[in-house]
Amino acid sequence: MRTKNLLYGIGSIALMLALIITPFVTALPIPASAQPVELSLNHLFPEVSWFHQKAVVPWKNMVERKSNGKLKINIYPSGALAKSGTMYDAVKAGVVDMAIDPGPYYIGRFPMSEATQLPFLGAQSSWAASRAWMDLYYAFPELRKEYADVHLLWLFSQGPVQIITRKPVRKMEDMKGLIVRAPGGMGDYIKALGGSPVSINAPESYLALSKGTIDATVFPGEAIPTWKLHEVTKYVTMSHMAVQWFWVAMNQDKYKSLPKDLQKVMDDCSGTVGADIIGKAWNDADRAGFELAKQKGIELIDLSPQERKRWEKQVAPVTEKWIKTMEAKGYPAKKFVDEARKSIDKYNKQLAEKRG
């Protein structure tokens, strides 16, 4: 009986100790090594956009999965931490850990990269151009040097731009006098065709079109639902005139601070892997955008082969001038453009074969 009472007494003391100690034990901080490394990722598209949901979020999930939860990426859409045109400096300074932004918003900063948006290089899709840009990045040190002050994750391309207008453009003469949103070097092509280019950021296009400040804008198909252009335009001229490149970059110090295994995760999820994810998602979004346009009564205008040749001939001096100017500065511009055309053609054919 005495033994039994003794056991009860010991049990009561143990229970009391557990009740006293438990709050302190559970309040102890988790070891730093067990906490995920959090990274911020800033981009310009809205959270409801296909780009956020079908491209950025899947990439984020892949990184987190491959890191076994050791990396956590916090996405900031709509330029919440830095606006377009300022994101590169924000990444460089460490204001944001990572960002995605269009290269043409940085006129003159990436001179070699600007060749990726020269007119009529032949890209039929975002994926084909995105894979071509990565080929060029690996092949040309002059291109890699332009991103030396950040850790470049990858380059990619939007889909081919079309001319989305309030007035029909069926031939070159219809471009005369049109005020067209055309960022970066694309303004030169619009000017060569007779239009008056202005450079405004993508989110401002809707208001400018609705007020009649501009008559048209150059965008790929995905932009129609993304920026609600079907509400303020009536025509799309399917020019496939050019593409626009984007960069995805990470702060150098942040990348170097990661343990080697997490650096490998970032590397394995970047390059052509990242270009594939966004390129394929953009292809799908372009198709969906043109379908919406047709549903909303927007006319899709195809240029005849003869008219297309007129356009190509009219803007050819822009490419020739770029090559001449860059060669004078010591860049291998002619070789770069030739390789761009070859690489784009290769991926155009691969995609066509997959579609059967």
Side-chain angles (χ1 to χ4, degrees), residues 143-157:
L143 188 59
R144 296 194 296 274
K145 186 178 179 181
E146 293 186 346
Y147 305 92
D149 47 11
V150 297
H151 180 77
L152 189 83
L153 297 175
W154 72 91
L155 300 175
F156 70 92
S157 171

Side-chain angles (χ1 to χ4, degrees), residues 30-240:
I30 299 172
S33 60
Q35 294 180 340
V37 177
E38 295 196 29
L39 301 172
S40 59
L41 172 58
N42 192 76
H43 68 79
L44 81 159
F45 288 84
E47 188 172 6
V48 297
S49 69
W50 71 267
F51 186 86
H52 179 86
Q53 296 177 4
K54 300 299 178 83
V56 181
V57 170
W59 182 77
K60 155 197 161 74
N61 292 342
M62 179 176 65
V63 171
E64 292 178 349
R65 185 177 66 254
K66 286 183 177 292
S67 73
N68 295 317
K70 294 179 183 179
L71 286 172
K72 180 182 178 183
I73 298 177
N74 300 312
I75 306 174
Y76 295 87
S78 299
L81 299 182
K83 298 302 179 185
S84 282
T86 71
M87 290 188 203
Y88 190 85
D89 287 321
V91 171
K92 181 180 175 181
V95 175
V96 297
D97 297 321
M98 296 181 289
I100 306 171
D101 211 23
Y105 287 0
Y106 302 80
I107 297 175
R109 189 158 190 174
F110 308 104
M112 195 73 165
S113 302
E114 289 178 3
T116 58
Q117 60 174 349
L118 287 171
F120 299 109
L121 290 179
Q124 297 297 307
S125 71
S126 167
W127 178 81
S130 297
R131 289 299 299 266
W133 298 169
M134 289 311 304
D135 283 355
L136 295 170
Y137 181 77
Y138 295 136
F140 287 86
E142 297 86 356
L143 188 59
R144 296 194 296 274
K145 186 178 179 181
E146 293 186 346
Y147 305 92
D149 47 11
V150 297
H151 180 77
L152 189 83
L153 297 175
W154 72 91
L155 300 175
F156 70 92
S157 171
Q158 65 176 176
V161 299
Q162 320 302 342
I163 301 175
I164 305 174
T165 67
R166 299 166 68 220
K167 305 173 183 178
V169 173
R170 305 182 192 279
K171 57 185 184 300
M172 192 189 308
E173 288 74 14
D174 295 333
M175 289 289 296
K176 188 174 181 179
L178 289 186
I179 301 173
V180 186
R181 173 205 169 266
M186 291 189 188
D188 293 335
Y189 324 150
I190 295 300
K191 189 180 296 184
L193 292 168
S196 299
V198 294
S199 183
I200 61 175
N201 288 345
E204 301 169 9
S205 301
Y206 182 94
L207 185 60
L209 284 162
S210 66
K211 288 187 172 183
T213 307
I214 61 175
D215 301 304
T217 180
V218 292
F219 268 126
E222 61 78 23
I224 295 169
T226 298
W227 306 116
K228 299 182 179 180
L229 300 180
H230 55 281
E231 297 178 358
V232 289
T233 59
K234 296 181 179 180
Y235 307 90
V236 177
T237 300
M238 304 293 287
S239 67
H240 288 74

